[in-house]
Amino acid sequence: MTFQIEAIRFHVLPMRTRFPFKYGIASLTALPHLFVSVELLMNGNAVNGLASEGLPPKWFTKDPDSSFAQDLAVMLSVIQNAARIGRHAAAKPVSFFEWWKSLYDEQSLWATHQAHPALLAHLGTSLIERAVLDALCRGSGSTLHRLLQSNQLGIDLGVLRSELAGVPVSAALAETPLQSVEVRHTVGLADPLTDDDLPPNEAANDGLPQTLEESIRAYGLRWFKIKLGGNPEADRDRLCRIARLLEVECRAGWSCTLDGNEQYTDMQAFCEFYSGLKSAPELATLLANVAVIEQPVHRSHALDAGVAAALRDFDGPGIIIDESDGALTDLPQALALGYRGTSHKNCKGIVKSLANSALLRSRAAGGVRSVITGEDLASVGPVAMIKDIAVAAALGISHVERNGHHYFKGLSMFSETIQAQMLEHHGDIYERSAQGFATLAIRNGRVSLWSVNEAPFGHAFLPDMSEFELLNDWIKRGGMSFL
């Protein structure tokens, strides 16, 4: 399977949250949602593909001294550079893996010269990668899982990691994509837990649940991702309140993950904090239900050699990396230190997640406890969230953090035409809310993935890009001022 890239275009849709999403040092209230569309030639035929991503503050870099506008300008430059490299690498017919490796390597080299971290640099790689994969699925008439499993893409995992030499891509995948997944509901640092926590003037009043209590009752939630803020006393008090609520509302059972948000100074300090939680009887059930802990230490120190001693002596659930997983070399380094695994997000790259999944599955088969989780970036449909959950289903990740539907008002920011298309093609995963806009359909804590798995790469149709503004036009008219 070969292709060449004829064009890459960028469109943008500004979005505002229903209420602030506080994570780490950032509080998300608005962001631009970027669409990347590609036009390929496959066997002489034109075929289009699409990817998208919301560009949030302070995740790809956590520099407290830069403004969101400054960070956004850098994110856009990284994405545009990846587009330049990607198009040049496919100016003539090329196989997917040959093209991807050229894109990844040249983007990495450019980022090194620009002093951009790998996590930021490969946001660009991942967006171009996703758009091209979408087009290849459409052009070949295949779903993502079938295309990956057949390895018509020529992906050689051994080229990426020597320990995976001879391991087929199918070893990274579930035998069949999951038909549904548990929704792991985000409990943000400022999220109201009960009605008493929600001042009337901060209520969204849009018919969707807002408090944790409301969300559990509306969606039948059983999985949760609890954000930690790095203040031991405040974190402990909030965990106690959450534990009491979950024990009342989830009598049939529940599980959770803890997200450290890089808020702890070093691993030893976090391990001591976690051990101290065991002295609180009211946290016994919560601690027994913690499946995994995510990235408690800032990326600048998370892979330091000294982390190994703290992880070796840690008496608790597995700790994984997230923001520290920016380059292909990061997960092997983390595993050598004692981390148990990593997260999947499409923004970190699909080919890289295939290599990560294959490595972790190999370790698990050898009896080493290994974890790959599914995490969110406040992504929404009709493209970004759908593609992310399609990859999670293909990898066999059974519970996935979903928060875009919670912090954004469903698909209300899109036209009625696009919402109607989503309801027509993906009526198992979207439904009309009481106020008439399309929103994620969560039933008994799960979302169905039947239509996602049957579509080429998650979404069954390509939205009309003329509904959105060209990125350059948006920038020139001062669009970033809406932040």
Side-chain angles (χ1 to χ4, degrees), residues 1 36-40 42-43 45-51 130-144 146-147 153 382-384 386-387 390 422 425-426 451-452 454-463 465:
M1 180 183 293
V36 181
S37 54
V38 300
E39 183 180 322
L40 308 187
M42 291 178 62
N43 302 320
N45 298 316
V47 58
N48 296 317
L50 185 64
R130 278 176 267 166
V132 167
L133 279 173
D134 188 42
L136 294 178
C137 286
R138 295 178 192 282
S140 63
S142 180
T143 66
L144 176 70
R146 287 200 298 268
L147 188 61
L153 301 174
V383 178
I386 297 294
K387 273 184 161 40
M422 285 300 288
H425 294 287
H426 295 286
S451 67
V452 170
E454 290 299 309
F457 183 178
H459 52 104
F461 69 98
L462 292 174
M465 286 295 101

Side-chain angles (χ1 to χ4, degrees), residues 42-236:
M42 291 178 62
N43 302 320
N45 298 316
V47 58
N48 296 317
L50 185 64
S52 76
E53 194 76 80
L55 303 180
K58 305 303 174 190
W59 194 80
F60 294 99
T61 58
K62 284 195 175 174
D63 179 358
D65 298 323
S66 61
S67 68
F68 186 12
Q70 289 171 321
D71 292 344
L72 180 57
V74 175
M75 283 189 273
L76 291 174
S77 72
V78 163
I79 295 164
Q80 290 170 323
N81 189 72
R84 175 189 64 81
I85 294 170
R87 184 166 183 185
H88 182 264
K92 296 179 181 179
V94 65
S95 68
F96 173 80
F97 187 62
E98 176 188 2
W99 168 82
W100 181 89
K101 190 66 166 54
S102 179
L103 168 60
Y104 183 92
D105 289 346
E106 190 170 337
Q107 181 80 342
S108 297
L109 181 61
W110 172 83
T112 299
H113 289 305
Q114 297 293 321
H116 293 324
L119 186 70
L120 171 63
H122 295 300
L123 164 65
T125 303
S126 76
L127 271 164
I128 308 305
E129 167 194 54
R130 278 176 267 166
V132 167
L133 279 173
D134 188 42
L136 294 178
C137 286
R138 295 178 192 282
S140 63
S142 180
T143 66
L144 176 70
H145 186 272
R146 287 200 298 268
L147 188 61
L148 292 173
Q149 199 167 47
S150 70
N151 205 21
Q152 295 180 66
L153 301 174
I155 298 172
D156 187 340
L157 297 178
V159 170
L160 305 181
R161 294 196 179 120
S162 59
E163 62 267 45
L164 296 177
V167 175
V169 171
S170 59
L173 304 172
E175 185 174 347
T176 58
L178 301 180
Q179 292 301 302
S180 68
V181 295
E182 292 267 10
V183 169
R184 185 153 38 86
H185 180 84
T186 304
V187 185
L189 292 172
D191 286 10
L193 303 182
T194 68
D195 290 345
D196 292 339
D197 297 326
L198 182 61
N201 64 334
E202 295 180 12
N205 294 320
D206 55 14
L208 297 180
Q210 187 168 350
T211 69
L212 176 59
E213 185 177 49
E214 288 177 318
S215 297
I216 294 170
R217 293 174 180 176
Y219 299 134
L221 300 170
R222 295 185 294 265
W223 272 93
F224 306 90
K225 172 170 174 167
I226 303 170
K227 297 278 187 179
L228 301 175
N231 180 314
E233 185 175 347
D235 282 341
R236 178 181 172 130

Side-chain angles (χ1 to χ4, degrees), residues 288-358:
N289 289 334
V290 175
V292 70
I293 298 168
E294 180 186 338
Q295 189 89 34
V297 178
H298 193 277
R299 67 194 76 175
S300 60
H301 298 293
L303 299 182
D304 288 351
V307 165
L311 289 177
R312 183 181 58 247
D313 297 334
F314 180 57
D315 181 20
I319 299 178
I320 67 171
I321 58 171
D322 181 28
E323 291 92 339
S324 288
D325 180 23
L328 281 164
T329 55
D330 289 330
L331 177 60
Q333 183 181 354
L335 295 175
L337 290 171
Y339 287 97
R340 294 285 177 80
T342 187
S343 64
H344 167 75
K345 289 184 175 86
N346 272 2
C347 66
K348 296 200 294 182
I350 294 170
V351 173
K352 182 158 75 69
S353 275
L354 292 171
N356 286 349
S357 178

